[in-house]
Amino acid sequence: MSESPILPVRGRPVRPSGRHRRPVPSQLPPEAPALVLAALGDATGTAAELAALIRVDNPQIQVRLAGLGEDAKELTSELESAARERPENATAAIVVPLLTGPHPVADRLISMAVAASGVPVTVTDPLGPHPLLAEALHIRLSEKSLARADRMRLLNISNPVDTPVDGVILATVGGENAAAEAQPTAVLLASRLTLPVLVASLDSAPTVADAAGRLRGIGAQRIALSPCVLGPEAAPGLASAAAEEIGAECADLLGPHDLIADLAARAYGSILSAD
């Protein structure tokens, strides 16, 4: 009788707090699991740049990158290769999805790849919600002059009257579950901006138009759209088109931000510290 496939073990460890705490030990044994970044689409662009940032900041980690494509075979191959370099039955890899929240397509493809590889693997949660994610969103807004700059990376305590906009829509992809999971990040961003921040989905409900209507209902006329999206998980131009439809300004996608790279390293390190 054939053995059951090894399915991913999802961990919800408590991530280290503190902006300057090192997310990963400075030295790791050779048999330490590989950090395998899993990206929707192919392993280029934002995903490749994030992998490069993590390698520079964490040379002690073996960082691998796999695009999920349509069948996740590239991820399967990376997991099998990582297992060949490690002791038998040891955890071969820690898979970190390059996503800010849950995504049904990515979740399915990652599960398929892990099952097909048949090797011991841990899959982390997405990168959000997290205070560093809210910080990165704040920075992207300020880069487009849609929020006051957070020069000291502290909470914004400016007078709301002086802010460039009256409200912000935090836009997600991945369906209603992703929007619900983004609520804590919206609260953190609202605290930083001292502005109302509502969550909307670019591919599901609640819609961007619904969120804009709610903000205008409480008197917010100048609205900014903040894509809580790295890049590969959304069609090009999707966020900017949604902003244009409601007459709002749009911040850039999160992309290969150093805080996103830090979050991915923290996700890996938190699994190590939990073992």
Side-chain angles (χ1 to χ4, degrees):
M1 187 173 72
S2 61
E3 295 182 353
S4 299
I6 299 175
L7 297 178
V9 179
R10 284 197 177 273
R12 282 190 176 271
V14 178
R15 287 174 175 163
S17 60
R19 178 69 181 91
H20 300 290
R21 182 175 297 181
R22 189 173 183 87
V24 183
S26 59
Q27 292 185 332
L28 293 173
E31 66 272 15
L35 165 54
V36 182
L37 302 168
L40 280 167
D42 58 29
T44 62
T46 291
E49 292 181 62
L50 283 169
L53 285 173
I54 296 169
R55 290 186 181 106
V56 169
D57 291 340
N58 302 275
Q60 75 278 29
I61 304 175
Q62 183 188 62
V63 179
R64 294 169 175 262
L65 172 63
L68 293 173
E70 296 182 356
D71 54 17
K73 288 184 178 179
E74 184 177 337
L75 177 56
T76 299
S77 177
E78 288 293 340
L79 297 178
E80 291 172 343
S81 177
R84 287 193 291 269
E85 299 175 4
R86 283 159 180 82
E88 187 177 359
N89 298 324
T91 300
I94 296 173
V95 178
V96 178
L98 287 180
L99 295 162
T100 60
H103 193 289
V105 174
D107 290 346
R108 176 179 58 82
L109 289 171
I110 291 171
S111 293
M112 284 173 48
V114 173
S117 72
V119 300
V121 171
T122 298
V123 181
T124 75
D125 290 326
L127 304 180
H130 196 280
L132 292 184
L133 182 56
E135 183 177 343
L137 291 165
H138 186 172
I139 291 170
R140 288 294 187 235
L141 284 165
S142 67
E143 288 170 348
K144 284 295 186 74
S145 299
L146 299 174
R148 293 177 64 88
D150 184 24
R151 294 179 181 175
M152 298 302 293
R153 289 190 171 179
L154 298 173
L155 292 183
N156 190 321
I157 56 174
S158 62
N159 187 333
V161 174
D162 299 329
T163 58
V165 297
D166 306 316
V168 174
I169 298 172
L170 190 153
T172 66
V173 296
E176 293 184 39
N177 189 31
E181 291 286 332
Q183 291 292 344
T185 299
V187 172
L188 291 166
L189 183 59
S191 296
R192 299 181 67 88
L193 302 176
T194 61
L195 289 172
V197 177
L198 298 183
V199 177
S201 175
L202 293 170
D203 57 9
S204 183
T207 67
V208 170
D210 290 339
R214 289 176 58 195
L215 285 172
R216 291 191 171 115
I218 60 174
Q221 296 303 314
R222 302 168 300 166
I223 297 174
L225 190 143
S226 178
C228 193
V229 175
L230 301 187
E233 66 272 41
L238 182 62
S240 57
E244 185 176 354
E245 285 182 8
I246 61 167
E249 298 291 328
C250 187
D252 288 336
L253 304 183
L254 288 166
H257 197 286
D258 63 342
L259 291 178
I260 302 301
D262 188 13
L263 277 173
R266 285 171 182 265
Y268 171 86
S270 64
I271 297 295
L272 289 183
S273 64
D275 290 343

